[in-house]
Amino acid sequence: GDDFNYSEELDYTIIGIEPGAGITATTETAIDQEGGYESLAGWDLEQSSTVAMVTELESAIANEEPIIVTGWNPHWKFAQFPDLKYLDDPKGIYGGAENIQTLARLGFEEEHPEAYEIIDRFYWDVEDMEEIMYESNETGDDIHDVAQQWVEENEGKVSEWTEGVAEGDGSVIEIVSTPWDTERSSSSVLSIVLEEHGFDVDVTPVDPAIVFESLATGDADATVAAWLPFTHAGFYESVEDDIVDLGPNLEGAKIGLVVPGYMDIDSIEDLEP
Ligand code: PBE
């Protein structure tokens, strides 16, 4: 290859995250030669964990070596390494603007109208979520503790979700979530707000497939962890008729292939098979 061919140096490997993540399935689609990128023919996605991906990214950047990772926003790594960039995705496999969406089980609204109302109103900005994730990453404080602090400092926003809603009767609300910092932040904030409003809340982090399945079977009441319309589209479509869609709780998320700014490529199509 020429000077810009990183493919050999990268051993034709994209550094991925957990096997159950939506972005893992999306990246397999990008590599697949039926509908994916010709430039990724013969490439592999190394699946491990988010922690392992971040460790490899940090060490590549420390050594100014090339690396391609599966990445997403919001994430603190974009604050820590401001020159990270998304590779252009001309086929639109990673989608465009992504939302994080709230879903509930059928019947939840009728059984717990107050909790449903708060969960339905829950909506915040990318900056709110980032504030919690950055603070936790910098200080090492647990996300749940930082979320507690955020709730205390953002009374105005929180009261928009709870104003006029009758106090809960102590019933247990089962929130199903995923293990990533984005969803640990949102699920923590929501559970703290619900608990302050008289509910007893369980938050269960699972793989995205299980989030959708447990809502469809009625084992869980609600989630604020669905990435749509792209990242979790496959899971969503399989249960669409058996869940209630309450719309976005955050707008302006994104997923894709991410590289350090010193790499001289801009597009997935710049790679070589
Ligand atoms: N993520 C973060 C998840 C959802 C939240 C983008 C890594 C995924 O399923 O891909």
Side-chain angles (χ1 to χ4, degrees):
D2 57 33
D3 290 343
F4 305 121
N5 178 12
Y6 293 104
S7 307
E8 259 177 54
E9 211 177 331
L10 294 171
D11 201 19
Y12 303 91
T13 304
I14 295 165
I15 307 302
I17 59 165
E18 289 79 0
I23 198 173
T24 301
T26 313
T27 303
E28 295 291 6
T29 304
I31 290 173
D32 196 284
Q33 289 309 290
E34 272 168 49
Y37 285 96
E38 273 172 43
S39 59
L40 291 178
W43 281 67
D44 282 323
L45 174 63
E46 184 179 297
Q47 300 176 28
S48 56
S49 69
T50 297
V51 171
M53 178 275 283
V54 169
T55 304
E56 292 204 41
L57 179 65
E58 284 175 340
S59 91
I61 290 173
N63 298 307
E64 271 214 37
E65 285 167 355
I67 186 168
I68 304 179
V69 302
T70 60
W72 63 93
N73 280 91
H75 199 286
W76 53 261
K77 61 183 179 269
F78 289 94
Q80 186 168 336
F81 307 116
D83 76 334
L84 287 175
K85 60 185 182 188
Y86 281 94
L87 292 181
D88 289 344
D89 168 28
K91 286 183 187 282
I93 289 177
Y94 290 93
E98 185 79 340
N99 301 321
I100 309 182
Q101 217 144 304
T102 304
L103 311 171
R105 68 168 169 87
L106 298 174
F108 177 57
E109 179 177 11
E110 292 70 29
E111 286 165 45
H112 299 286
E114 293 83 11
Y116 178 92
E117 178 67 21
I118 293 172
I119 293 169
D120 191 18
R121 285 193 210 169
F122 173 68
Y123 180 92
W124 61 348
D125 298 318
V126 166
E127 295 72 30
D128 297 315
M129 183 184 261
E130 282 178 346
E131 201 181 310
I132 295 176
M133 293 192 300
Y134 292 3
E135 172 79 10
S136 165
N137 184 55
E138 264 167 42
T139 60
D141 291 346
D142 190 78
I143 284 187
H144 197 81
D145 298 335
V146 181
Q148 177 74 53
Q149 199 182 314
W150 187 92
V151 168
E152 282 160 24
E153 288 166 3
N154 288 271
E155 259 175 51
K157 199 158 265 191
V158 169
S159 71
E160 285 173 25
W161 309 333
T162 58
E163 210 170 73
V165 180
E167 279 289 305
D169 55 2
S171 8
V172 178
I173 307 300
E174 300 283 353
I175 302 291
V176 69
S177 188
T178 55
W180 293 282
D181 288 4
T182 38
E183 279 56 54
R184 292 179 60 213
S185 303
S186 55
S187 297
S188 284
V189 164
L190 181 64
S191 72
I192 291 162
V193 169
L194 285 168
E195 284 185 342
E196 286 181 350
H197 214 76
F199 295 95
D200 195 357
V201 183
D202 285 341
V203 177
T204 310
V206 293
D207 275 354
I210 311 297
V211 168
F212 288 83
E213 208 176 289
S214 60
L215 291 170
T217 57
D219 288 335
D221 292 318
T223 188
V224 288
W227 282 50
L228 292 165
F230 290 100
T231 312
H232 296 154
F235 305 130
Y236 180 82
E237 280 154 19
S238 67
V239 297
E240 204 170 348
D241 298 336
D242 302 313
I243 57 172
V244 183
D245 188 344
L246 288 76
N249 58 65
L250 178 144
E251 287 164 292
K254 184 169 172 59
I255 67 167
L257 295 182
V258 171
V259 301
Y262 52 77
M263 282 178 72
D264 205 357
I265 51 170
D266 295 313
S267 169
I268 299 174
E269 290 185 335
D270 293 339
L271 294 164
E272 288 182 11

